[in-house]
Structure formats: C-alpha cells, structure tokens
Amino acid sequence: MRHSRLFPLLILPALQVLLCLSSCTTPSLTATTPTDASSPALAAARRQTMPWAPIAAPLASHHDCCARFGVNLSYNDHVLPLKGNLRMRRGEVMQLSLTALGMVEIARVEFTPKAAYFIDRLGKNYAVVAYDQLPTLGQAGFTYDLLESLLWHELFLPGQKKGASRLAAFVATPVGDEMQIAPKEQKALQAFFYSDAHYSHLLRTRLQLGPLASTWSYDSFLPVGDSQVPAKLGIQLQTAQKAVGADFTFSAITLDDNSWTTRTNIANYSVLSIDEFFQKLSFLK
C-alpha cells in the first residue's frame, strides 16, 4: 500500500470506523446522546433505578473542550508518533490539528455536522467529504453525532435522535469486575459500554458491525474544574485484514474556553477531491 493511501488512516484515527466500514451495507442508523435535564430529585431517583445515569453524559454541562495531545498511530506493524491539538464545541465542530516539531501546524481536520474538512495547512489545499456522500456509510447513517458522542465519552443509542433522554432503554450486566451497559434492543450497529462496578467512569465503548469492531478506551481521568476528563484515549479498529490503532495522551485540558477559532478560513485554499488531497499532501513529499 502506498504511503499516500495509508496516511488517511493514520492522520485521522477518529475516522477509523467511517473509513474502514465503507464496503459494508447496513440499514439506516443515527446516534443519540442521552442527557438528564430533570430535577435533582428525579435525577436521584433515576440513579437508583438506572445507576448508569452518571456516566451517560458526564460533560453535558460543558460546551467546549480543548487539549494538546501526543498520539501513537499504528497500522499493522507501522507506528507513527505525532503531536497536535484537539478542540471541540458541542453541536458545531470537532477540530483535530497535527503539528511538526511541536510548533508548525501541518494538517487539520474539521468535523462539522454536515461534512469533514481535510486541510493541508502547508500546501494550502483542502477536501470536503459529506457524511451522506460516503459509499454505503451515508446509507448506514454515520453521523457527526456518533463521533461527537465517542469523543465526549457518552452513551448513545444507535437509531435514536441525539438529545433524546433514553436512559431506561439500556440494561446493565456484570462482566467480571465491570458493568456492561447496552441498549435493550440492538441495531445492525451494536453498541456496548463498560464502566467500573460503581459507575464512576465510562471505561470503554465497543461498536460491532458484522465482522468489524471498534473499541474506544478512556483512562487516566483527571479533575478539570468540577468534572473528570480522561487524559488517555485509545482507539482500536479490527477487521479480518488489518488492525488500526491510535493511543492519545492529552495535556493542558480546558473546559468552556470559547476563545478559539472554530473554522479555518479556506478562501485562499485550492479545493481537491479526497484522493487528490492525499496524493498532494505537501509534507509527505
């Protein structure tokens, strides 16, 4: 496989599922993030009958999250270390930037509700991919909401609209010293969530679609303000032919810092097809 073909998988670990499921066929799916906007008394009652409520959307009261990261991206026997920044604003954008020597930004990816923007900061090129234009995945219903829920480490229900409160739609089962929380009715895209026995943190999310599986692991939780945020994120995608992984370590984590620019000004950039974009990435030449 040529380097330019391998690089999309390495530069965009958050899109592993999206990129590698493109040959699959599934019925229409969407995602949801359960939230609990009820009164304190009702919330307490829910925690008794649905003890997984605290991990459903632990950062729901926060609108922005920013962090620096170091990441080791792996593809079979290849490992690529990178550094960069992750900035997220709920319902608006998730921005992943990669830097060289810790100073020069070389590439950026912006996930918006309608499309993903791939931006070569050095070569001044960009490509746009709408989620509903991806082969098969558009029909499968891969959405911004699903990726947002994964990156904010939240529970979600495939097949339900984002924002719907559906805590009662889950069931918990002990698995060793952990609890497995899963939808009572699974769709073609199956979701499984794992917490400690006391429902202190969401530890892993596992997605299964036929023979393809992706696991998102959250670890090393740190106090940031009044919340606990994972300082480590591991993403693994396993297929019959290949294994792709990304191990992030976050630092300088902030919540509700809205001073950053959410969108890149690409007025003076050249637009390319996605294939042309990866062939012309300036920093790969």
Side-chain angles (χ1 to χ4, degrees), residues 69-87:
F69 66 77
V71 60
N72 289 320
L73 307 178
S74 59
Y75 181 89
N76 290 336
D77 295 329
H78 305 281
V79 178
L80 178 65
L82 293 170
K83 292 185 178 181
N85 295 280
L86 175 66
R87 301 180 181 92

Side-chain angles (χ1 to χ4, degrees), residues 58-59 61-62 222-229 255:
L59 300 178
S61 62
H62 300 287
L222 298 175
V224 179
D226 59 354
S227 300
Q228 293 281 321
V229 180
L255 295 172

Side-chain angles (χ1 to χ4, degrees), residues 24-284:
C24 301
T25 302
T26 63
S28 177
L29 301 173
T30 56
T32 184
T33 303
T35 59
D36 191 351
S38 56
S39 67
L42 184 54
R46 285 186 173 182
R47 283 194 293 270
Q48 292 182 354
T49 58
M50 294 169 285
W52 50 87
I55 66 169
L59 300 178
S61 62
H62 300 287
H63 196 57
D64 291 77
C65 181
C66 301
R68 298 173 187 165
F69 66 77
V71 60
N72 289 320
L73 307 178
S74 59
Y75 181 89
N76 290 336
D77 295 329
H78 305 281
V79 178
L80 178 65
L82 293 170
K83 292 185 178 181
N85 295 280
L86 175 66
R87 301 180 181 92
M88 302 187 291
R89 179 166 295 172
R90 282 188 181 276
E92 186 173 338
V93 68
M94 292 172 285
Q95 187 182 91
L96 180 73
S97 65
L98 299 175
T99 59
L101 304 176
M103 298 180 292
V104 180
E105 186 181 26
I106 57 177
R108 181 180 291 185
V109 185
E110 292 177 351
F111 304 100
T112 73
K114 293 184 178 180
Y117 290 74
F118 300 70
I119 304 168
D120 179 356
R121 298 285 278 168
L122 298 182
K124 303 297 182 182
N125 299 313
Y126 76 96
V128 184
V129 180
Y131 306 126
D132 60 4
Q133 293 177 352
L134 289 164
T136 304
L137 282 180
Q139 299 176 7
F142 185 95
T143 65
Y144 173 92
D145 291 345
L146 174 61
L147 184 57
E148 185 176 73
S149 293
L150 289 167
L151 288 175
W152 284 87
H153 63 287
E154 301 171 336
L155 304 187
F156 57 89
L157 288 168
Q160 299 292 323
K161 293 182 179 180
K162 185 177 176 64
S165 182
R166 296 287 188 273
L167 291 177
F170 292 90
V171 62
T173 306
V175 178
D177 58 354
E178 297 180 340
M179 297 299 296
Q180 180 192 81
I181 304 101
K184 294 177 181 178
E185 298 182 4
Q186 293 278 19
K187 305 294 183 179
L189 175 60
Q190 298 184 1
F192 302 91
F193 308 90
Y194 298 86
S195 77
D196 59 283
H198 301 289
Y199 301 99
S200 302
H201 300 295
L202 177 62
L203 303 178
R204 292 188 311 284
T205 296
R206 179 176 174 82
L207 300 176
Q208 186 82 39
L209 181 60
L212 306 179
S214 181
T215 301
W216 296 60
S217 302
Y218 312 98
D219 199 1
S220 300
F221 285 79
L222 298 175
V224 179
D226 59 354
S227 300
Q228 293 281 321
V229 180
K232 292 186 177 181
L233 168 64
I235 308 172
Q236 298 293 324
L237 175 71
Q238 184 68 51
T239 73
Q241 293 78 27
K242 54 193 170 186
V244 182
D247 294 309
F248 287 85
T249 299
F250 297 105
S251 62
I253 304 171
T254 63
L255 295 172
D256 299 325
D257 175 7
N258 61 2
S259 62
W260 55 286
T261 302
T262 58
R263 298 301 307 276
T264 303
N265 184 353
I266 54 177
N268 296 322
Y269 284 54
S270 299
V271 61
L272 303 173
S273 70
I274 192 65
D275 287 337
E276 291 174 329
F277 176 85
F278 286 113
Q279 290 171 2
K280 293 185 177 182
L281 277 173
S282 59
F283 55 89
L284 289 183

